[in-house]
Amino acid sequence: AGSKEMKQRIVPDIVKGKKFISLAVSEPTAGSDVSNLQTIAVRKGDHYIVNGSKKWITGGHMADYLTVAVRTGDEGSGMMGISILIIDSKSPGVKIRKMKTQFDTCHSTTFVLLEDVKVPVENLVGQENQGFFYLVTNFNHERLVIACSALRAARTCYSEALQWALTRKTFGKTLMQHQVIRLKFSEMAIQMEALQDSIERVAFQFANGVPDFKLGTECSLLKVQAARCFEYCAMEASQIFGGSSIVKEGRGKTVERLYREVRTTAIPGGSIEVLMDQHGRELLRKSKKIIQNKSKL
């Protein structure tokens, strides 16, 4: 959606890995509710003046550029008043600090403060006040990637727990010789393989050119399924390890580490509750159309 000039100026170095870019959408009062964001961009001549803050921004500490969702429409304009700006992170008025998280430090989760930041009009992505629709398209891809990551983490929990269960003995038997433990692995496998199939189905549609706007609900439900699968596998793996999974050392340390990351699949990219409600609202909309069409027959 960006201009040809902006793409030539920014994209090559990012693709080559010489520079980094982060997506800055979420705010202290607007997470999943993107249409309610409060960061304001006011146009003055050939620049926008940006004021506001962004929270939970992944990679912000190392970013050379920030892709920032801002409000350019009037107060109360909702989704129809959002635009996307590319902001140089070294610009005067941009302050970025690292945030401590529940899970790890490799995500470089940050808080971004924007105070009277001057942004050239040329750094507007696409059309003014149309940014919400660009974001929605990106969210589909983000949710697919989150689902893939969650499945990999779930399989790691499964693998670590299996190796432990084959050697750890209780009451004169290995854990795997206890039926209750074998059932845990069976249920984990059911959820992981179901998630694998769902991921491949959605990825196949992306690869074969199905428009993004037709995949919103599927990507939302996929992320919900992934979050639940990961949480279940992390919980059961932790139960299999017992006390070894609540300390940051020994053979259970990987599961302990992964268990702390469960919420990063259930909240970022749209919380489970918001995504499920999105599906419900879409179902209601389609149902009304079906009823209306039947009434015309």
Side-chain angles (χ1 to χ4, degrees), residues 173-188:
K173 300 179 181 180
T174 63
L175 289 177
M176 278 300 286
Q177 290 177 304
H178 295 280
Q179 184 183 44
V180 67
I181 299 299
R182 296 197 297 272
L183 293 177
K184 290 180 183 293
F185 284 105
S186 296
E187 183 59 37
M188 282 192 276

Side-chain angles (χ1 to χ4, degrees), residues 25 59 88 105 109 118 125 135 177 184 186 190 202 252 260-261:
V25 178
D88 189 323
T105 57
T109 304
K118 291 182 66 176
V125 176
L135 292 174
Q177 290 177 304
K184 290 180 183 293
S186 296
I190 289 170
V202 172
R260 285 186 283 113
E261 192 160 332

Side-chain angles (χ1 to χ4, degrees), residues 85-123:
L85 294 175
I86 302 295
I87 298 180
D88 189 323
S89 64
K90 304 298 189 296
S91 299
V94 178
K95 299 177 181 178
I96 303 174
R97 66 173 176 82
K98 204 162 185 177
M99 300 177 69
K100 292 182 179 181
T101 64
Q102 177 188 43
F103 44 104
D104 64 18
T105 57
C106 68
H107 289 75
S108 184
T109 304
T110 56
F111 186 94
V112 180
L113 184 62
L114 305 165
E115 295 180 317
D116 293 327
V117 181
K118 291 182 66 176
V119 183
V121 172
E122 292 77 17
N123 282 21

Side-chain angles (χ1 to χ4, degrees), residues 23 73 75 118-119 128 185 187 195 206 214 235:
L23 181 64
E75 184 177 352
K118 291 182 66 176
V119 183
E128 191 174 273
F185 284 105
E187 183 59 37
L195 176 57
F206 271 120
K214 290 187 176 182
M235 176 187 69

Side-chain angles (χ1 to χ4, degrees), residues 136-195:
V136 170
T137 299
N138 176 77
F139 286 154
N140 288 343
H141 298 257
E142 179 183 15
R143 287 161 188 165
L144 174 60
V145 171
I146 289 174
C148 294
S149 176
L151 177 59
R152 180 65 264 164
R155 290 196 184 282
T156 300
C157 289
Y158 181 95
S159 176
E160 291 289 323
L162 179 59
Q163 293 178 58
W164 175 255
L166 289 171
T167 56
R168 167 69 168 157
K169 289 186 176 182
T170 59
F171 306 105
K173 300 179 181 180
T174 63
L175 289 177
M176 278 300 286
Q177 290 177 304
H178 295 280
Q179 184 183 44
V180 67
I181 299 299
R182 296 197 297 272
L183 293 177
K184 290 180 183 293
F185 284 105
S186 296
E187 183 59 37
M188 282 192 276
I190 289 170
Q191 294 204 26
M192 290 188 300
E193 297 313 316
L195 176 57

